[in-house]
Amino acid sequence: MFLTNSVKKLINAASRTAISLIGNISKILSISNRYYLGVFVGNIIRLLSKKRADVTYNNIKMAFPELSNKEITKIAKQAYHNLGITLVELLAFPKLSIEDYHKYVHYENIELINEALSRNKGLILLSGHFGNWELLATTAGSFSNIPIKVVVKAQSNSYFDRIINNYRTMMGNKLIPMDKAARELIYCIKKNEPFALLVDQSADSSKDIFVDFFGRPAATYEAPAQLSYKYDVPILYGFAVRNAKHTYNVKLYELDRSGLDKCTDPIRELTIRHVKALEDIIKQYPGQWSWQHKRWKHTPPKEYYEN
């Protein structure tokens, strides 16, 4: 036990030092140099865990069986670069002004948020761990001048969790802990307040639903579709797509909710639709999604194959 606690303390101390060092460097860099530092950090992250790197490679191989080993390896490296870039850019948040954010992220139709809220039915914003999802959440709230409640999952490293949550709220957004979200999200809907979720990680196989993702059944969060259908809440989704200038383009879309009353399982159908939107953007830019997660770790019940 003593050895375990000592190791944990050393890891936490090293993490604090690394995060502090990277953050201090990132704050003084240009957008392009911050990108290259992120690539370097991503390469280091990849080397730290062979097991996680293997998960990444196998996920890509299963999703794109037609690709060669060389092509799969290239996407895997890009996915780690994306993690590093996202981290480095996040740690620069205290230095960025609203003008800096506007240089970083361009929205094609940010007004869609205000338009959806004008219906007074609440608003659900969906995305995934794609591109820089932290910049997406921060700028969606600040650019629309409407603070967003963001559902977050606690990080295993308490120091990093505290830092990242401080940065997430710097531009006015509020946070909702995932384990306390159920009642709070209903409250947001009734108050016509927008809330955002990342819905691309593995859900609870005992209470959520399975839908196909890259041709394989994946446990998927049911809550967004359930709330949307029950309370007639519009859903917007979008992704921060990194471009050749190392900045981001975002186009928001409203999820098609037509014809749900004619479906035998409207909640499943709505879930399939937003999962398909995520899959489509990943197919366009596979290196910008976080393949490191065990997305297909749960086995669906027999009934899944009978439907």
Side-chain angles (χ1 to χ4, degrees):
M1 180 63 72
F2 175 77
L3 179 61
T4 301
N5 289 336
S6 298
V7 171
K8 286 183 178 179
K9 288 180 180 179
L10 286 172
I11 292 174
N12 287 336
S15 298
R16 287 195 294 271
T17 301
I19 290 169
S20 177
L21 177 62
I22 294 170
N24 288 333
I25 295 174
S26 180
K27 291 171 188 176
I28 63 175
L29 296 178
S30 65
I31 288 176
S32 291
N33 287 334
R34 199 173 287 139
Y35 166 87
Y36 291 113
L37 174 61
V39 170
F40 173 77
V41 170
N43 286 332
I44 298 299
I45 294 173
R46 182 169 61 91
L47 294 174
L48 290 176
S49 175
K50 183 181 185 304
K51 182 177 180 180
R52 187 61 60 179
D54 288 343
V55 169
T56 303
Y57 181 91
N58 289 330
N59 280 344
I60 299 168
K61 184 176 182 179
M62 292 295 290
F64 300 103
E66 73 280 5
L67 296 184
S68 66
N69 290 340
K70 182 178 180 180
E71 290 169 319
I72 294 169
T73 299
K74 180 180 178 180
I75 294 172
K77 289 181 179 179
Q78 291 172 340
Y80 272 100
H81 294 166
N82 188 67
L83 279 185
I85 294 163
T86 298
L87 173 62
V88 168
E89 290 175 342
L90 171 65
L91 295 178
F93 276 16
K95 180 259 183 187
L96 301 181
S97 65
I98 188 64
E99 291 77 16
D100 292 322
Y101 280 114
H102 276 280
K103 293 176 183 177
Y104 245 125
V105 186
H106 171 71
Y107 281 81
E108 185 173 324
N109 55 346
I110 191 68
E111 68 280 357
L112 202 56
I113 293 177
N114 302 74
E115 190 280 324
L117 284 170
S118 69
R119 306 173 205 173
N120 294 310
K121 294 182 177 181
L123 175 61
I124 300 172
L125 297 163
L126 298 183
S127 192
H129 293 82
F130 180 95
N132 191 327
W133 58 91
E134 297 291 352
L135 267 174
L136 177 69
T138 296
T139 55
S142 59
F143 288 11
S144 64
N145 294 313
I146 301 174
I148 295 170
K149 300 283 186 68
V150 182
V151 179
V152 297
K153 183 177 181 180
Q155 302 291 316
S156 57
N157 184 304
S158 59
Y159 174 77
F160 184 63
D161 189 65
R162 185 169 66 254
I163 291 292
I164 191 175
N165 286 338
N166 285 339
Y167 291 1
R168 284 166 168 166
T169 57
M170 291 183 68
M171 298 298 287
N173 286 347
K174 304 294 183 181
L175 305 181
I176 301 175
M178 181 177 286
D179 58 353
K180 300 178 181 178
R183 198 174 287 182
E184 183 68 23
L185 297 186
I186 295 175
Y187 178 80
C188 288
I189 291 170
K190 293 181 177 179
K191 296 285 289 184
N192 196 38
E193 297 176 346
F195 61 87
L197 307 94
L198 299 179
V199 291
D200 57 342
Q201 293 195 337
S202 185
D204 187 333
S205 61
S206 65
K207 66 179 182 181
D208 287 298
I209 62 177
F210 283 83
V211 300
D212 274 8
F213 183 53
F214 281 93
R216 301 161 62 193
T220 305
Y221 292 109
E222 188 178 49
Q226 193 174 49
L227 291 171
S228 176
Y229 183 71
K230 182 176 181 179
Y231 296 100
D232 195 28
V233 185
I235 294 177
L236 298 183
Y237 65 92
F239 307 95
V241 180
R242 189 178 301 106
N243 57 44
K245 296 181 179 179
H246 315 312
T247 57
Y248 299 87
N249 299 319
V250 181
K251 184 175 182 179
L252 299 175
Y253 299 86
E254 181 164 358
L255 191 66
D256 178 18
R257 297 169 64 250
S258 63
L260 294 177
D261 290 333
K262 298 178 182 178
C263 298
T264 56
D265 192 341
I267 293 174
R268 174 178 294 279
E269 174 59 29
L270 198 53
T271 303
I272 289 172
R273 293 179 188 183
H274 75 67
V275 169
K276 177 65 164 55
L278 172 66
E279 184 177 316
D280 286 345
I281 195 71
I282 294 172
K283 286 179 177 178
Q284 292 182 62
Y285 309 95
Q288 294 195 37
W289 189 58
S290 298
W291 293 95
Q292 296 84 359
H293 177 68
K294 294 182 179 179
R295 185 65 185 89
W296 296 273
K297 64 182 177 181
H298 296 299
T299 302
K302 293 180 180 179
E303 294 78 16
Y304 179 85
Y305 297 101
E306 296 172 356
N307 295 331

